[in-house]
Amino acid sequence: MFTSEYFMKIALKEAEKAYKLNEVPIGAIIVCNNQIIAKAHNQTELLNDVTAHAEILAITAAQEYLQTKILNKCTLYVTLEPCLMCAGALYWSRIGKIVFAAFDYKRGYSTLSTKALHNKTEIESGVLQEEALFLMKEFFKSKR
């Protein structure tokens, strides 16, 4: 029941919220012991803040919930590969695992730096990739 697909569907619901708010449709959740402790979606337009990425907002919420800056027993589920800024925040939080749907070949951390994440962070990619890419393509199609 608590599979990567199960949790990614919840992250996709967060991405859909962003889409409806005219934000780049990226959603993120953080899970600890099969419990969702943080949910977020991009809010850069709403907050007029270039750092208000779904991952950053989820990290902050999870750290507040757990009352610690270290998230080594947690998993981040995010609909797009984190950018270098978010990878840096994930590095410092020592997130235990990152599961993302689609690669970001333009701005994803893996394109820019293979050492952006903590060496103990596990990575899983491609989970519900088609659904995440569809949402991104629809969003940017409406912008052109």
Side-chain angles (χ1 to χ4, degrees):
M1 178 177 161
F2 293 121
T3 63
S4 292
E5 289 79 11
Y6 171 85
F7 287 119
M8 189 61 74
K9 284 179 184 175
I10 298 166
L12 280 165
K13 286 181 183 171
E14 287 296 313
E16 289 168 6
K17 288 179 188 176
Y19 181 91
K20 290 175 184 170
L21 295 169
N22 204 30
E23 298 274 1
V24 176
I26 299 172
I29 67 169
I30 295 183
V31 175
C32 249
N33 299 319
N34 288 325
Q35 178 185 352
I36 298 169
I37 62 168
K39 291 182 186 180
H41 54 274
N42 272 10
Q43 294 185 40
T44 60
E45 299 299 323
L46 175 71
L47 300 175
N48 199 29
D49 179 356
V50 297
T51 68
H53 290 196
E55 300 95 322
I56 300 289
L57 299 172
I59 290 166
T60 300
Q63 289 171 331
E64 188 172 310
Y65 179 86
L66 294 174
Q67 292 295 293
T68 182
K69 62 182 183 175
I70 304 302
L71 302 176
N72 61 329
K73 296 187 180 349
C74 300
T75 300
L76 168 76
Y77 294 86
V78 63
T79 57
L80 188 68
E81 176 187 8
C83 70
L84 197 54
M85 174 186 71
C86 292
L90 291 161
Y91 175 93
W92 292 111
S93 76
R94 295 191 215 154
I95 194 85
K97 184 175 182 177
I98 299 169
V99 180
F100 64 87
F103 281 92
D104 182 349
Y105 295 110
K106 289 184 181 175
R107 292 179 184 82
Y109 77 88
S110 67
T111 302
L112 302 168
S113 173
T114 56
K115 296 181 181 191
L117 297 173
H118 196 278
N119 62 346
K120 292 185 179 175
T121 299
E122 294 177 48
I123 304 294
E124 183 180 348
S125 60
V127 177
L128 301 183
Q129 177 175 299
E130 294 305 315
E131 293 88 333
L133 286 174
F134 176 79
L135 200 54
M136 293 291 284
K137 287 175 185 171
E138 287 299 303
F139 177 80
F140 286 108
K141 189 190 307 180
S142 73
K143 300 292 176 200
R144 294 184 179 110

